[in-house]
Amino acid sequence: MSEFDLIARHFWRPTQGQSGVLLGNGDDCALLAPAPGMALAVSCDMLVAGRHFLPDVDPQALGHKALAVNLSDLAAMGARPLACTLALALPSVPDEAWLAGLARGLLALADAHGCALVGGDTTAGPLNLCLTVLGEVPPAHASRRSAAQPGDDVWVSGALGEARLGLALLRGELDLQGPGTEAAREHLLRPQPRVALGLALRGLVHAAVDVSDGLLADLGHILAAAGVAAQVDVDALLTHAVPPAVRALPPATALTYALAGGDDYELVFTADPAQREAVLAAARRAGTPVARIGRIVPGAPAAHPLADGAGRVQLVDGGGAPYTLPAGVRLAGFDHFATIEP
Amino acid sequence: MSEFDLIARHFWRPTQGQSGVLLGNGDDCALLAPAPGMALAVSCDMLVAGRHFLPDVDPQALGHKALAVNLSDLAAMGARPLACTLALALPSVPDEAWLAGLARGLLALADAHGCALVGGDTTAGPLNLCLTVLGEVPPAHASRRSAAQPGDDVWVSGALGEARLGLALLRGELDLQGPGTEAAREHLLRPQPRVALGLALRGLVHAAVDVSDGLLADLGHILAAAGVAAQVDVDALLTHAVPPAVRALPPATALTYALAGGDDYELVFTADPAQREAVLAAARRAGTPVARIGRIVPGAPAAHPLADGAGRVQLVDGGGAPYTLPAGVRLAGFDHFATIEP
């Protein structure tokens, strides 16, 4: 079977009638028509076997996750998904069952978000997936990292550290059973991008980022881009934004996972305290839990927006006093040049 | 040096003020603003070491080519480049000099076409480049493969078979010197996407495709998508669309290169014969040679647009009689699951 046949059989579906898509797969380019006045948001992520997923991962979970991590970037911008492209390098003899699973996982999530797969590329090579997503957002409502302001609340969605727990379980670093362990594996393998929350928060938030590399590292990107700092209330974080299965771990492990665990794909965002009720109402509408975990304070001038800003975070306790981390907490951000070993 | 530092140092430049770019690198998404009424054209290509380029390729040439093959897809659609994203998997210890060369080659071509690098991703992994390009085109002027009509002329730009000659020289399959050999190497390593021609031809052409896999294979995509067939005049092709250095090869080799050589990134397009003078004038404005090499005739109903349509091409001589190919001509389209061996 040729590469064209493989793509056609598993990945192609009609895109006629899908919102914003004039021409889908099968030409030199796809053609999109964003609604008038909308900006087009673009993001791409590349996933490599042994780095971003374990080589024996369920292909359906991989298809889901490859798209989810990209939709998460749209969510952080407040953008509505329109379309995506998939470039895929596959071993020389493509395993059709594997490819079919990948397509099922990816397309199911794409359908759930109205995101049309409009093109891509397939080639032979070491396994590699590159997804590019396109969404639309009113330019004035796009939540830029640089927009955080001193006095803002810092909020986070969902369950931090849970995906890191899932990774520890898959790697066999921890041998746990019971409530929350299945949810942790699911969070790692099939993260749910916070698209609905991102849309509900349009106009209510200043800055937002998605948590792919760990809370401190990603909040740090906001802080570096905006030229501010933050106080994060560790007690509030552990109580309201970390699931019980992570809280039940030894303190150094729980804090490492909550502060530096990657792959959660939650949103961290900042908003004026006058918006507290509105933020909570928006989160309820989106069906996504959120927790207020700190506030933005003045900081050093803006640095390169991808500069390490984790050092701009001051950890405090519920009373506002500096929080003393127990020995053994490891806070380096997830580094994509470090290998994930199974 | 971290991945962020590497990206920042070599690939980042201000995008403020670039046409259509609201927000460039350094946030969760880039934000683009296509001009009102324009459709957004999207295409992506993945390049893998050992498949699409030789492992010891000059990184500056590789950066050029990775973008060029994508701009070529915009050209085939009649779209003006706006922006691109680059996802890059690099060996665990990135070679900074190599990366700097890659950036120089890519950014020089991006600048030449007003195409802002607005985002991307970097990760450790086997060398892989995935470029996604975004352009704008009036939807009514986008040249779709399915729009070819019986009676249309078939045109091709530039120099077919030249990149294949370049590959033969690099591989050492041929040992030639003299006029045209340097141009052939350049055509392979630094193809010039026919963006200016694509823009000049807006409104004049019916269908267009770029020649990445070989003339027969790519013209075949038009024919399959439109449900038509074509007669290609081999004498006209050799005389007007094949460079002298290819024409001078043994006939079987010259025909193989001209009909099935990949990587030329020329445009093949169809247009009403009433547009002949207008097409020639547009090509002059764009500074790109074009040649009329055949015509569209009725054919079997439309098939899957990526179906093999090379069998819909009838080769004829200058007098319209069937053309008998000499023994040894190999006409299979370039297959990305076949390895390029140096």
Side-chain angles (χ1 to χ4, degrees):
Chain A
M1 222 182 203
S2 80
E3 68 175 284
F4 293 148
D5 295 330
L6 285 171
I7 299 169
R9 176 175 292 191
H10 297 292
F11 284 96
W12 279 35
R13 289 157 339 150
T15 51
Q16 278 74 22
Q18 285 204 251
S19 165
V21 179
L22 298 177
L23 181 65
N25 267 309
D27 217 304
D28 291 280
C29 298
L31 293 175
L32 306 179
M38 289 285 191
L40 204 97
V42 185
S43 182
C44 85
D45 276 292
M46 180 173 266
L47 281 78
V48 175
R51 305 281 161 184
H52 303 92
F53 55 91
L54 305 179
D56 61 350
V57 67
D58 168 27
Q60 202 165 336
L62 178 60
H64 174 102
K65 186 159 180 174
L67 181 58
V69 305
N70 278 280
L71 292 177
S72 181
D73 285 313
L74 292 182
M77 214 75 191
R80 180 185 302 282
L82 283 179
C84 62
T85 62
L86 168 66
L88 192 56
L90 290 171
S92 300
V93 181
D95 175 338
E96 192 177 351
W98 190 92
L99 205 59
L102 185 78
R104 269 198 309 277
L106 191 150
L107 293 173
L109 186 66
D111 287 347
H113 291 281
C115 183
L117 178 62
V118 296
D121 195 13
T122 311
T123 181
L127 184 57
N128 183 310
L129 290 86
C130 183
L131 263 284
T132 303
V133 290
L134 301 145
E136 60 180 23
V137 59
H141 286 174
S143 34
R144 305 175 181 210
R145 296 179 181 181
S146 59
Q149 292 173 25
D152 279 1
D153 292 325
V154 176
W155 298 80
V156 66
S157 69
L160 286 179
E162 193 170 55
R164 183 63 185 80
L165 172 58
L167 182 61
L169 294 169
L170 278 183
R171 282 179 176 171
E173 291 171 1
L174 294 175
D175 182 20
L176 296 179
Q177 314 258 317
T181 55
E182 190 47 41
R185 285 192 189 85
E186 276 294 297
H187 195 151
L188 177 71
L189 295 176
R190 270 173 288 270
Q192 295 302 324
R194 298 304 192 182
V195 172
L197 180 64
L199 294 175
L201 291 172
R202 275 184 183 174
L204 300 178
V205 303
H206 288 155
V209 69
D210 72 323
V211 184
S212 54
D213 294 346
L215 174 64
L216 291 191
D218 290 311
L219 174 56
H221 291 319
I222 286 181
L223 305 179
V228 295
Q231 291 183 325
V232 167
D233 176 346
V234 178
D235 292 328
L237 173 69
L238 289 173
T239 308
H240 300 300
V242 170
V246 173
R247 255 196 328 266
L249 297 170
T253 307
L255 283 162
T256 299
Y257 289 9
L259 293 168
D263 265 0
D264 282 320
Y265 301 101
E266 299 294 353
L267 297 187
V268 178
F269 54 97
T270 83
D272 192 298
Q275 301 288 1
R276 280 180 195 171
E277 287 309 313
V279 166
L280 290 170
R284 277 192 300 273
R285 282 202 308 280
T288 309
V290 297
R292 190 157 49 82
I293 60 163
R295 62 193 189 95
I296 299 294
V297 298
H304 196 285
L306 287 188
D308 184 5
R312 293 169 180 256
V313 180
Q314 183 191 10
L315 301 178
V316 297
D317 65 19
Y323 189 93
T324 305
L325 290 170
V329 176
R330 294 164 58 190
L331 291 187
F334 182 67
D335 181 347
H336 284 297
F337 281 101
T339 305
I340 297 176
E341 295 292 352
Chain B
M1 227 185 198
S2 80
E3 68 175 285
F4 293 148
D5 295 330
L6 285 172
I7 299 168
R9 176 175 293 190
H10 297 292
F11 284 96
W12 279 33
R13 288 157 340 150
T15 51
Q16 277 73 25
Q18 285 205 251
S19 166
V21 179
L22 298 177
L23 181 65
N25 267 309
D27 217 304
D28 291 280
C29 298
L31 292 175
L32 305 180
M38 288 287 191
L40 204 96
V42 185
S43 182
C44 86
D45 276 292
M46 181 173 265
L47 282 78
V48 176
R51 305 281 161 184
H52 304 92
F53 54 91
L54 304 179
D56 61 350
V57 67
D58 167 27
Q60 202 164 338
L62 177 59
H64 173 102
K65 185 159 180 175
L67 181 58
V69 303
N70 278 281
L71 292 178
S72 180
D73 285 313
L74 291 182
M77 214 73 192
R80 180 184 302 282
L82 282 180
C84 63
T85 62
L86 168 67
L88 191 55
L90 290 170
S92 300
V93 181
D95 175 339
E96 193 178 349
W98 190 91
L99 206 58
L102 185 77
R104 269 198 307 280
L106 191 150
L107 293 173
L109 186 66
D111 288 348
H113 290 281
C115 183
L117 177 63
V118 295
D121 195 13
T122 311
T123 182
L127 183 57
N128 183 310
L129 291 87
C130 182
L131 263 284
T132 302
V133 290
L134 302 145
E136 60 181 23
V137 59
H141 285 174
S143 34
R144 305 176 181 209
R145 295 179 181 181
S146 59
Q149 293 173 25
D152 279 1
D153 292 326
V154 176
W155 297 78
V156 65
S157 70
L160 286 178
E162 193 171 53
R164 183 63 186 81
L165 172 58
L167 182 62
L169 294 168
L170 277 183
R171 282 178 174 171
E173 292 171 2
L174 293 176
D175 182 20
L176 295 180
Q177 313 258 318
T181 55
E182 190 46 41
R185 285 191 189 86
E186 276 294 297
H187 195 151
L188 176 72
L189 294 176
R190 271 174 287 269
Q192 295 302 324
R194 298 304 192 181
V195 173
L197 180 65
L199 294 174
L201 290 173
R202 276 184 182 174
L204 300 178
V205 304
H206 288 153
V209 68
D210 73 322
V211 183
S212 53
D213 294 345
L215 173 64
L216 290 191
D218 290 311
L219 175 57
H221 291 320
I222 287 181
L223 305 180
V228 295
Q231 291 183 325
V232 167
D233 175 346
V234 178
D235 293 327
L237 173 70
L238 290 173
T239 308
H240 300 300
V242 170
V246 172
R247 251 193 336 261
L249 298 170
T253 306
L255 283 163
T256 299
Y257 288 8
L259 293 168
D263 266 0
D264 281 320
Y265 300 101
E266 300 293 353
L267 298 187
V268 178
F269 54 97
T270 82
D272 191 299
Q275 300 289 0
R276 279 180 195 170
E277 286 309 313
V279 166
L280 290 170
R284 277 193 298 272
R285 283 201 307 281
T288 309
V290 297
R292 190 156 50 81
I293 60 162
R295 63 193 190 95
I296 299 294
V297 297
H304 197 287
L306 287 189
D308 184 4
R312 293 168 180 257
V313 180
Q314 184 190 10
L315 300 177
V316 297
D317 65 20
Y323 189 93
T324 305
L325 289 170
V329 176
R330 294 163 58 190
L331 290 187
F334 181 67
D335 181 347
H336 284 297
F337 281 101
T339 306
I340 297 176
E341 295 292 353

